[in-house]
């Protein structure tokens, strides 16, 4: 009897050891959220997928450049939207230091750059060439920028180098940072009434293309090295003398410890891949339909089970 009891206790202990190896930690997976809608909704979509697998999840609002350091240190577990244009340099710097890794590309192809709604072209017919934009700079002047044109950039944590580009290309523009993404869309809405020319920071995939036809400004084409090697690009003495990649990546990044601590969630993360229309839809649910991000995520999951269930079950 005693032996039998002892045996079963050992069996229980053994079973729990092997379960510990197979199962995700009960500690929360920490998902960082930022200040543009698709990223917040996607974070909740993936968080709700993890919860459906039995995991616990926490969300923390995090600076979108500093987050790569947080993933590297394991303070947050992953990052779901690594946009090449805005975050390629910060991501690659963290990769070099070690502690995080590339957890695969989304299907989506991205572009982030100076952009104008189509009526702007009437005031500045040489667009989309950046030289033509520069010749029209006075048309974009505001009381704040004097006789220079205003470029309305995003919040400062997105792209830290717009001013460097203006300097490297000798442009008659001043960079003014908007406080939020919605301030960008409000500016386009206000300009639409009297078809005022306006140039802002924008990206694709986004909901904006469904509301306002427009184009990206064509800067000197992005080539490897133009952001860190002065010799690369048309200005031999300065960096950032190029546009952002016109066909940029959108990656997932993960803390190196994630696979061991949450193996099932990690396997799912590796299989996750969103397309351009799916990401634009996530932004639309918040920016046009005005859902809360949690509700937008729940709605997306409900209408797209065929997309995400295979990521949980192991594919095919
Ligand atoms: C990172 N963003 C999509 C705002 O360019």
């Amino acid at each position: 009897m005693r032996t039998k009891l002892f045996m079963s206790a050992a069996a229980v202990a053994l079973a729990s050891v092997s379960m510990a190896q197979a199962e995700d930690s009960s500690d929360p997976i920490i998902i960082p959220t930022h200040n543009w809608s698709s990223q917040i909704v996607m974070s909740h979509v993936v968080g709700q997928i993890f919860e459906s697998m039995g995991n616990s999840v926490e969300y923390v609002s995090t600076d979108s450049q500093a987050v790569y350091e947080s993933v590297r240190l394991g303070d947050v577990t992953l990052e779901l939207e690594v946009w090449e244009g805005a975050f390629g340099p910060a991501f690659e710097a963290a990769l070099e230091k070690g502690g995080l890794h590339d957890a695969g590309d989304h299907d989506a192809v991205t572009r982030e750059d100076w952009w104008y709604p189509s009526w702007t072209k009437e005031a500045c017919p040489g667009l989309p060439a950046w030289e033509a934009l520069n010749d029209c700079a006075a048309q974009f002047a505001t009381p704040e920028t004097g006789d220079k044109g205003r470029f309305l950039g995003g919040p400062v944590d997105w792209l830290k180098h717009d001013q460097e580009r203006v300097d490297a290309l000798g442009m008659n523009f001043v960079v003014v940072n908007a406080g939020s993404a919605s301030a960008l869309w409000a500016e386009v809405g206000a300009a639409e009434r009297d078809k005022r020319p306006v140039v802002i920071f924008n990206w694709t995939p986004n909901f904006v293309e469904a509301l306002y036809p427009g184009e990206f400004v064509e800067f000197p084409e992005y080539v490897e090295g133009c952001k860190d090697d002065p010799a690369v690009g048309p200005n031999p003495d300065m960096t950032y003398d190029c546009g952002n990649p016109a066909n940029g990546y959108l990656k997932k990044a993960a803390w190196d410890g994630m696979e061991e601590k949450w193996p099932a969630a990690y396997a799912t993360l590796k299989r996750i891949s969103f397309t351009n229309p799916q990401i634009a839809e996530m932004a639309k649910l918040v920016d046009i339909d005005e859902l809360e991000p949690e509700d937008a995520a729940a709605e997306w999951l409900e209408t797209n089970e065929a997309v995400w269930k295979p990521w949980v079950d192991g594919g095919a």
Side-chain angles (χ1 to χ4, degrees):
M1 192 68 193
R2 282 185 74 180
T3 310
K4 200 176 169 200
L5 257 180
F6 175 77
M7 289 290 285
S8 56
V12 166
L14 256 180
S16 64
V17 165
S18 64
M19 272 173 58
Q21 280 166 350
E23 284 199 355
D24 286 3
S25 165
S26 60
D27 290 352
I29 296 170
I30 303 186
I31 302 182
T33 60
H34 308 306
N35 48 359
W36 65 97
S37 301
S38 71
Q39 197 274 347
I40 304 172
V41 175
M42 188 189 294
S43 293
H44 283 274
V45 163
V46 173
Q48 290 174 26
I49 291 174
F50 289 161
E51 283 173 346
S52 80
M53 300 166 64
N55 284 295
S56 91
V57 174
E58 268 173 29
Y59 304 91
V60 284
S61 167
T62 306
D63 178 286
S64 61
Q65 299 281 344
V67 72
Y68 297 98
E69 193 65 10
S70 307
V71 179
R72 199 175 76 70
L73 299 173
D75 293 341
V76 302
T77 312
L78 50 81
E79 166 61 50
L80 290 163
E81 287 195 7
V82 186
W83 291 67
E84 181 172 7
F87 310 121
F91 170 62
E92 277 144 38
L95 264 184
E96 249 169 60
K97 287 194 193 168
L100 93 176
H101 60 274
D102 182 340
D105 285 5
H106 292 282
D107 177 79
V109 175
T110 63
R111 186 167 187 181
E112 306 156 82
D113 225 316
W114 295 30
W115 177 96
Y116 52 86
S118 49
W119 63 79
T120 300
K121 227 169 169 168
E122 287 157 32
C124 193
L127 285 170
W130 74 270
E131 297 95 330
L133 177 73
N134 203 33
D135 290 344
C136 294
Q139 308 237 29
F140 298 85
T142 66
E144 193 181 1
T145 62
D147 53 7
K148 297 201 170 182
R150 181 195 60 173
F151 166 66
L152 188 62
V156 282
D157 62 318
W158 293 354
L159 273 183
K160 300 219 181 271
H161 305 286
D162 287 310
Q163 190 59 51
E164 274 145 284
R165 185 194 290 171
V166 163
D167 296 343
L169 296 176
M171 295 182 76
N172 299 313
F173 272 82
V174 174
V175 176
V176 175
N177 288 104
S180 64
S182 51
L184 295 172
W185 321 138
E187 178 61 12
V188 177
E192 184 181 22
R193 267 172 252 135
D194 44 5
K195 301 282 186 274
R196 174 163 54 82
V198 64
V199 60
I200 67 161
F201 181 74
N202 193 6
W203 60 90
T204 187
N206 199 353
F207 77 95
V208 177
E209 52 248 45
L211 282 191
Y212 301 106
E215 290 176 314
F216 288 102
V217 175
E218 297 293 346
F219 284 101
E221 197 184 334
Y222 172 82
V223 280
E224 187 80 39
C226 70
K227 292 186 177 182
D228 44 38
D229 182 354
V232 176
N235 182 333
D237 301 318
M238 291 178 87
T239 55
Y240 287 95
D241 48 344
C242 60
N244 280 318
N247 297 293
Y249 62 62
L250 186 67
K251 284 185 182 297
K252 303 159 288 177
W255 172 52
D256 284 350
M258 182 182 179
E259 180 169 16
E260 202 183 310
K261 191 164 179 183
W262 297 280
Y266 182 77
T268 293
L269 174 69
K270 293 274 284 192
R271 288 190 282 262
I272 285 172
S273 170
F274 293 105
T275 64
N276 286 55
Q278 288 164 353
I279 293 167
E281 169 75 11
M282 290 178 195
K284 174 196 163 277
L285 289 168
V286 168
D287 287 321
I288 300 182
D289 302 345
E290 301 188 340
L291 295 182
E292 292 300 323
E294 298 82 342
D295 301 335
E299 178 164 328
W300 193 92
L301 287 166
E302 207 177 294
T303 47
N304 290 280
E305 278 202 2
V307 174
W308 65 268
K309 282 273 166 80
W311 297 338
V312 175
D313 301 339

